[in-house]
Amino acid sequence: MEELESPCAPVAPSERTRIRRIPRRAAYDRASIDAILDEGLVCHLAFTADGQPYAIPTAYARIGDHLYVHGSAASRMLLSAAGSSFFFIVTLLDGLVLARSAFHHSMNYRSVVILGAAEEVTDEGERLAAMRALVERVAPGRWAEIRPPNRQELKATTILRLAIAECSAKIRSGPPIDDEEDLALPCWAGVIPLALTPGPPVADRPPPGSG
């Protein structure tokens, strides 16, 4: 499928992150990459542990030049992933692109792929900062309203850090790109926008003293 050109000015990529298929879709600048990371809520981590490939979805948070993910300290898989080579992937789906031909149907999206080795975070100050960032990523301002993790909860949590160093973004936007001979076909063509929208909050239970 033919793709539209990315509006982001590129910078020098690494050999592993260079976009080779339709390279005009690529964006390598940190402003574009950080904007996608800061809008996304879920990433997919791909790695190999004990000879077995894994790809898992999880929440993440960015602090400066690093990404943080967390999980149970009892997770053998997560612990064995520390020090391993990671693929970190975030994709934002912006629309369905319906063309006049089957071949040119596509999607509008923004995605980031980061390669690197994950490190387990052991410094208590950094661990707490990462957990705060993970909570604030989901609901800004929430950390000030809730009980912070206690010592036992911190002990039960593994946190991994991944540097935002070797990375690239791919962006597709705009209408379908039909062949000239298909433009007169009597079918609708265009973009169906998609967006992740929060619904009305549903309370767990009335707060103490409200009744």
Side-chain angles (χ1 to χ4, degrees):
M1 298 181 186
E2 190 174 1
E3 305 291 347
L4 296 182
E5 184 173 356
S6 165
C8 303
V11 296
S14 74
E15 281 304 308
R16 295 201 301 173
T17 60
R18 184 184 303 278
I19 305 298
R20 290 175 170 79
R21 183 180 181 274
I22 315 180
R24 64 179 180 274
R25 295 172 55 211
Y28 303 104
D29 60 291
R30 276 293 301 273
S32 299
I33 289 167
D34 287 354
I36 296 171
L37 294 174
D38 292 346
E39 186 174 340
L41 292 172
V42 176
C43 70
H44 284 81
L45 300 175
F47 59 95
T48 301
D50 298 329
Q52 172 68 43
Y54 294 92
I56 58 174
T58 187
Y60 69 94
R62 181 179 73 88
I63 303 178
D65 294 331
H66 292 90
L67 295 165
Y68 294 85
V69 299
H70 74 301
S72 170
S75 172
R76 183 177 62 88
M77 180 181 67
L78 196 62
L79 285 174
S80 62
S84 301
S85 181
F86 259 80
F87 273 81
F88 176 102
I89 304 164
V90 171
T91 301
L92 305 177
L93 185 58
D94 296 323
L96 305 177
V97 181
L98 277 59
R100 293 170 179 83
S101 69
F103 181 78
H104 287 301
H105 277 63
S106 188
M107 295 183 183
N108 284 341
Y109 70 94
R110 291 161 289 152
S111 66
V112 167
V113 173
I114 301 173
L115 286 72
E119 301 173 296
E120 183 180 0
V121 178
T122 57
D123 177 80
E124 289 303 310
E126 186 178 1
R127 283 165 52 79
L128 191 61
M131 295 184 78
R132 175 174 181 168
L134 286 160
V135 171
E136 289 289 294
R137 183 69 198 89
V138 175
R142 185 69 173 164
W143 187 261
E145 302 174 346
I146 60 175
R147 174 183 66 78
N150 58 36
R151 184 174 297 276
Q152 184 61 33
E153 291 166 338
L154 285 170
K155 184 178 179 181
T157 304
T158 294
I159 297 176
L160 299 183
R161 176 183 61 222
L162 179 66
I164 307 172
E166 193 174 2
C167 51
S168 62
K170 298 177 75 173
I171 300 169
R172 202 273 184 207
S173 62
I177 305 175
D178 276 306
D179 296 331
E180 185 70 27
E181 59 270 24
D182 291 333
L183 294 178
L185 291 175
C187 60
W188 187 89
V191 176
I192 301 175
L194 299 176
L196 184 64
T197 305
V202 180
D204 170 46
R205 64 185 66 184
S210 63

